[in-house]
Amino acid sequence: MTNNLFVYNTLTRKKERFEPINPPFVGLYACGPTVYGDAHLGHARQAITFDVLYRYLQHLGYKVRYVRNITDVGHLEDDADEGEDKILKKARLESLEPMEVVQHYMNRYRLNMDSLNVLHPSIEPRASGHIIEQQELIGKIIEAGYAYEVNGSVYFDVTAYNNKHPYGQLSGRKIEDLLSNTRSLDGQSEKRNPLDFSLWKKADPAHIMRWPSKWSDGYPGWHLECSAMSTKYLGMQFDIHGGGLDLLFPHHECEIAQNVAGYGKPSVRYWMHNNMITINGQKMGRSLGNIITLDQLFAGDHPGLEQAYGPMVIRFFILQAHYRSTLDFSNEALQASEKGLNRLLSAVAKLDHIQALGKGSIDVEALAERCNNAMEDDMNTAMLVGHLLSGITQINKLAEGSDTISAEDLEKLKVLYHSWVFLVLGLELPEATGLANEITGDLIEMILQLRSDAKSNRDFKTADRIRNELTDLGITIKDRKDGADWEIS
Ligand code: ZN
């Protein structure tokens, strides 16, 4: 399989030619949500980034196994090693079972992703369903001498690891700098070193989510699940690991250390990270109180929103930026996206009504090449969208009849727009059903008027034919004195 795809590898800090380990198969893993609250723009950006990558790799002809996990245990407050589990805290506040919280937010997350037309991953493993795999990995890390047990908890020994393998390569951090920026241990901690992180935590008596192990009744550390589940489903070495930049450190850094320590070598070939969303120039965060959830965006139900924004507007807004750039949310930006999306979708709709009347000025080959080049350059959807929008002027000229196109070029142009807009960028016509219903109604009224005219002209043959053919289509007609009622059965 040949391609010219280059992707930016966070680990090497450069664009590298994409060469899968075992073509035509590609293993893709992306960190999924911790399900303790409603999904927001940040979740949408990460999911859409890797959804487009998943779609694009398939478009290039690869057979992709896409694994996106659900974190339902072990993710503690502030991504720290001490403190309450995020899901347990929510369960306590709402008097629910932890697994009720998980199910509730997992269902809502999936509904949000369906609205955004994010494809379902091939496998969606949950951390709580892979406790044995995680315990096995802890055993391997202890055996290799890179973890220690204290009072029933197990910690990764960053110092021991760093003596043999560089720790901090992915995030570009040096262990000395990390140490000088970390508070020293207060004597209460079980850790030998403040950079050490938990692989297994002994559960205190009030902790509900717990599993037996040879160390204690407890639960796994947050970073462990992705090491265990990615390799279980994609093999000890796989192609792409993705996630948001906020997961780079410590989550992904710790994942690399766990895999090298437990399996003897790093598992991931290309690390890819999408950048963050800011809100009116400010960082978005629960602590800052400026999070807008997807449901609020779809309904226009938030003081910071001037109107509701449909899922496709959100998707298009996200695709109009390159995934490695920051993206600033504002009402103006979303309104501009809405206009751009409408222009693009109505141009695609016009393509179906253009007649090929012979060669004109449009160079479809050149447009196709520009689109391919944009995506091959580290999946530059911003550039691709720009090229697709730039072609609209010519589509409009063809629709108005002020330019012409050959049949062959018209077919290529249709395929080009359909495959990029719908298959790869994953946009869809959100109002299509409503509009179609309206048009169908008008058409039936028009046909019934023709039938009524036929009857007035005593052309009963035509009138009966119209009635019979409508009946065959499932449209029942009841004649009245002054016309007819109809019903779709
Ligand atoms: Zn992860």
Side-chain angles (χ1 to χ4, degrees), residues 29 31-32 69 222 225-226 241 247 251-252 255:
Y29 186 90
C31 292
N69 68 307
W222 171 41
E225 62 178 275
C226 290
H241 192 313
L247 297 175
H251 186 55
H252 292 160
E255 237 186 280

Side-chain angles (χ1 to χ4, degrees), residues 182-329:
T182 314
R183 270 186 304 145
S184 54
L185 297 171
D186 56 7
Q188 300 288 312
S189 177
E190 296 168 338
K191 293 186 202 175
R192 290 181 191 164
N193 185 301
L195 295 181
D196 294 352
F197 54 92
S198 66
L199 298 174
W200 188 262
K201 286 289 274 184
K202 181 181 176 177
D204 59 40
H207 199 102
I208 306 172
M209 288 192 280
R210 53 165 70 217
W211 290 265
S213 78
K214 59 174 104 162
W215 311 288
S216 63
D217 272 16
Y219 55 94
W222 171 41
H223 313 307
L224 198 61
E225 62 178 275
C226 290
S227 284
M229 300 193 297
S230 61
T231 49
K232 171 168 174 139
Y233 296 112
L234 297 174
M236 282 305 145
Q237 303 234 267
F238 61 91
D239 299 299
I240 303 172
H241 192 313
L245 259 186
D246 53 335
L247 297 175
L248 185 68
F249 188 89
H251 186 55
H252 292 160
E253 199 73 75
C254 294
E255 237 186 280
I256 294 178
Q258 290 167 160
N259 288 36
V260 172
Y263 305 134
K265 52 188 172 188
S267 298
V268 178
R269 175 84 179 78
Y270 306 93
W271 281 92
M272 293 176 73
H273 291 91
N274 65 280
N275 213 320
M276 299 290 96
I277 287 200
T278 53
I279 298 219
N280 300 311
Q282 258 207 325
K283 202 178 165 230
M284 183 175 64
R286 271 176 224 276
S287 53
L288 293 163
N290 62 352
I291 284 182
I292 306 178
T293 69
L294 292 173
D295 284 335
Q296 286 170 330
L297 279 161
F298 299 160
D301 176 23
H302 186 280
L305 296 175
E306 288 171 11
Q307 61 171 87
Y309 299 101
M312 283 307 111
V313 174
I314 307 283
R315 188 170 175 114
F316 190 65
F317 166 67
I318 286 169
L319 295 173
Q320 275 184 297
H322 185 253
Y323 74 92
R324 285 194 293 117
S325 316
T326 54
L327 174 58
D328 190 47
F329 164 90

Side-chain angles (χ1 to χ4, degrees), residues 427-443:
L427 296 166
E428 54 185 3
L429 301 161
E431 299 339 320
T433 334
L435 187 64
N437 286 344
E438 214 172 289
I439 294 173
T440 308
D442 290 349
L443 283 174

